[in-house]
Amino acid sequence: MRQESVEQLLVQLGPDDLVLDVGGWACPFNRAQWILDAQPWETRGFYRTFGGFPFQGPEEEWFTPETWVVRDICGPERWPFDDKTFDFAICSHTLEDVRDPLFVCAELQRVAKRGYIEIPSRVWESCRGIERPGMVGLSHHRWFVDRSADGLEFLQKFSFVHTHWRFSLPRAYWRALPEEAKVTMLWWERSFPAREVTLHGVGTLEAAIEAYVRERYEYPAWRWGLFRLWKLARRVRSGVGRWLSWK
């Protein structure tokens, strides 16, 4: 989570506010009294912990083994909390990982009065070379996530985005991104809309991803020229192959 968001959270939360951290195993928010995650309490803090109050120390945990709930956050059963149990819910760098982010969004709104969501931005996740050369975004992320007017939109991160440069932004692009552009943040109260963007047909999918990239970065003309020649060569080869099969 961005340090600025952590500081803002600690200012907003009162000492009596009941806080839930959803998917917090790798980097728990220490101010949360409850954690909901598929991984056990004993292995928490894979990366680190954060968000303790200064008078307690940054590593002081408000949650306990008894308030660490181990379960699949994507259901199918509802989370084991009554409606609006929590004053605040946090879900940081989790929705892009899970198989059903819409279920998680629905449950966040059910069990909490307000909350904060942080996820990798669509533009950052569209960049190549962050984790490995030629790979777009991070290997374990399943979704591209965009902000809508007041909520979130999820587009499946199809595997074809790794197959050609025109479906992603170059390594130099993400290196130049300011820190605030690398994440998407949503502060919500009462509710927020969340939906999946569905596109059908390989051509439609490729055109949509390519259009998103071209709106933000124009590859050199020579690359497009080589790409067109490659497509022409494929059509010629296919045509020759069909002609030979008829002989």
Side-chain angles (χ1 to χ4, degrees):
M1 188 187 298
R2 298 180 69 240
Q3 183 59 36
E4 294 86 348
S5 297
V6 173
E7 294 170 1
Q8 187 173 345
L9 279 167
L10 295 179
V11 169
Q12 285 190 19
L13 294 173
D16 297 326
D17 281 341
L18 189 62
V19 180
L20 170 68
D21 183 358
V22 177
W25 164 79
C27 197
F29 182 56
N30 287 335
R31 170 59 182 81
Q33 294 100 324
W34 288 80
I35 307 288
L36 185 66
D37 200 284
Q39 302 301 318
W41 176 85
E42 293 81 6
T43 61
R44 69 195 181 284
F46 182 79
Y47 295 116
R48 61 184 178 91
T49 62
F50 66 96
F53 278 173
F55 63 83
Q56 291 184 306
E59 304 304 321
E60 183 71 23
E61 296 174 344
W62 287 45
F63 54 85
T64 67
E66 289 71 34
T67 60
W68 185 288
V69 180
V70 178
R71 66 176 297 144
D72 181 354
I73 66 172
C74 291
E77 294 83 13
R78 283 185 165 193
W79 299 346
F81 307 113
D82 293 333
D83 294 358
K84 304 304 180 186
T85 294
F86 298 95
D87 298 294
F88 205 93
I90 295 162
C91 188
S92 178
H93 292 270
T94 297
L95 293 177
E96 72 279 4
D97 300 334
V98 298
R99 72 179 184 277
D100 193 349
L102 298 185
F103 179 89
V104 177
C105 287
E107 283 296 275
L108 282 169
Q109 296 170 74
R110 183 183 68 81
V111 304
K113 301 169 186 174
R114 56 196 179 104
Y116 173 72
I117 292 172
E118 184 174 304
I119 43 191
S121 67
R122 168 80 183 272
V123 68
W124 185 87
E125 191 65 32
S126 297
C127 291
R128 203 166 54 249
I130 296 173
E131 185 175 305
R132 294 181 182 177
M135 181 180 291
V136 181
L138 298 190
S139 56
H140 64 288
H141 290 174
R142 304 183 188 207
W143 302 93
F144 290 124
V145 190
D146 272 318
R147 275 293 304 268
S148 61
D150 52 358
L152 299 173
E153 295 182 341
F154 296 86
L155 174 66
Q156 183 180 340
K157 188 179 169 186
F158 295 96
S159 58
F160 73 77
V161 300
H162 308 291
T163 64
H164 199 274
W165 50 264
R166 73 187 192 278
F167 301 131
S168 60
L169 296 159
R171 182 185 182 94
Y173 192 95
W174 73 264
R175 287 186 176 276
L177 280 176
E179 288 301 312
E180 61 271 17
K182 295 178 181 178
V183 298
T184 292
M185 297 168 286
L186 177 65
W187 299 86
W188 60 273
E189 188 168 352
R190 291 188 295 274
S191 65
F192 62 92
R195 71 182 188 95
E196 181 181 358
V197 177
T198 54
L199 300 171
H200 302 287
V202 174
T204 301
L205 291 167
E206 290 187 347
I209 299 297
E210 184 178 316
Y212 179 88
V213 171
R214 296 191 75 163
E215 286 173 5
R216 288 152 185 82
Y217 183 82
E218 188 59 53
Y219 281 98
W222 65 264
R223 289 197 97 165
W224 287 108
L226 288 176
F227 174 57
R228 294 186 188 98
L229 285 174
W230 173 78
K231 288 182 70 175
L232 178 60
R234 285 192 65 185
R235 286 198 295 269
V236 170
R237 179 181 177 184
S238 177
V240 169
R242 288 196 299 270
W243 180 78
L244 290 174
S245 69
W246 296 336
K247 296 288 287 180

